[in-house]
Amino acid sequence: MASIVLVHGIAQQQHSADDLEHEWLPSIAGGIRTAGHPGLADRLWPIQPANRQARMAFYGNLFLTPDQQGDTTELTDNQREIADEIALDWLTNALDSTRARDAG
């Protein structure tokens, strides 16, 4: 079983989990090697099929079929309340952050 789960962002539906792993893992392994952990880096890249240490959680293919993201734009009162709570948390975290990129 993999020890690291990679999760892709939006607009990856034209890729496969294998493609994304081959794109991401060299950089991740390189960063780990630079941080002084060459043994761990070697376990991530190149990929060793019998002993996979990282796997991509892939779901991009679910969005190729129309209407898979929902068929309505109307939220229930409960959904709207949850969305408002999430938005408030995001904005509060951005406001409290000391990172310049969070201010935008």
Side-chain angles (χ1 to χ4, degrees), residues 6 11 17 19 21 32 42 49 59 81 83 85:
L6 307 169
D19 289 341
E21 287 172 2
I32 291 171
D42 289 343
Y59 53 90
E81 184 177 320
E85 288 175 16

Side-chain angles (χ1 to χ4, degrees), residues 41-77:
D42 289 343
R43 290 172 37 203
L44 292 175
W45 189 259
I47 294 173
Q48 300 169 21
N51 187 22
R52 301 289 297 257
Q53 296 296 310
R55 294 304 313 252
M56 178 67 66
F58 186 75
Y59 53 90
N61 59 314
L62 298 177
F63 300 106
L64 291 174
T65 305
D67 299 325
Q68 292 299 302
Q69 296 184 44
D71 58 357
T72 181
T73 57
E74 298 298 320
L75 299 176
T76 66
D77 289 340

Side-chain angles (χ1 to χ4, degrees), residues 7 17 99 104:
V7 181
R99 298 183 323 178

Side-chain angles (χ1 to χ4, degrees), residues 3-96:
S3 299
I4 300 171
V5 177
L6 307 169
V7 181
H8 65 78
I10 63 171
Q12 301 303 315
Q13 61 269 25
Q14 300 302 321
H15 301 282
S16 70
D18 292 325
D19 289 341
L20 293 170
E21 287 172 2
H22 279 82
E23 182 179 327
W24 289 26
L25 287 174
S27 294
I28 293 171
I32 291 171
R33 188 176 313 285
T34 299
H37 304 282
L40 178 56
D42 289 343
R43 290 172 37 203
L44 292 175
W45 189 259
I47 294 173
Q48 300 169 21
N51 187 22
R52 301 289 297 257
Q53 296 296 310
R55 294 304 313 252
M56 178 67 66
F58 186 75
Y59 53 90
N61 59 314
L62 298 177
F63 300 106
L64 291 174
T65 305
D67 299 325
Q68 292 299 302
Q69 296 184 44
D71 58 357
T72 181
T73 57
E74 298 298 320
L75 299 176
T76 66
D77 289 340
N78 188 45
Q79 290 169 327
R80 187 174 290 107
E81 184 177 320
I82 292 169
D84 287 345
E85 288 175 16
I86 292 170
L88 182 59
D89 283 345
W90 284 346
L91 291 171
T92 301
N93 287 337
L95 181 64
D96 293 343

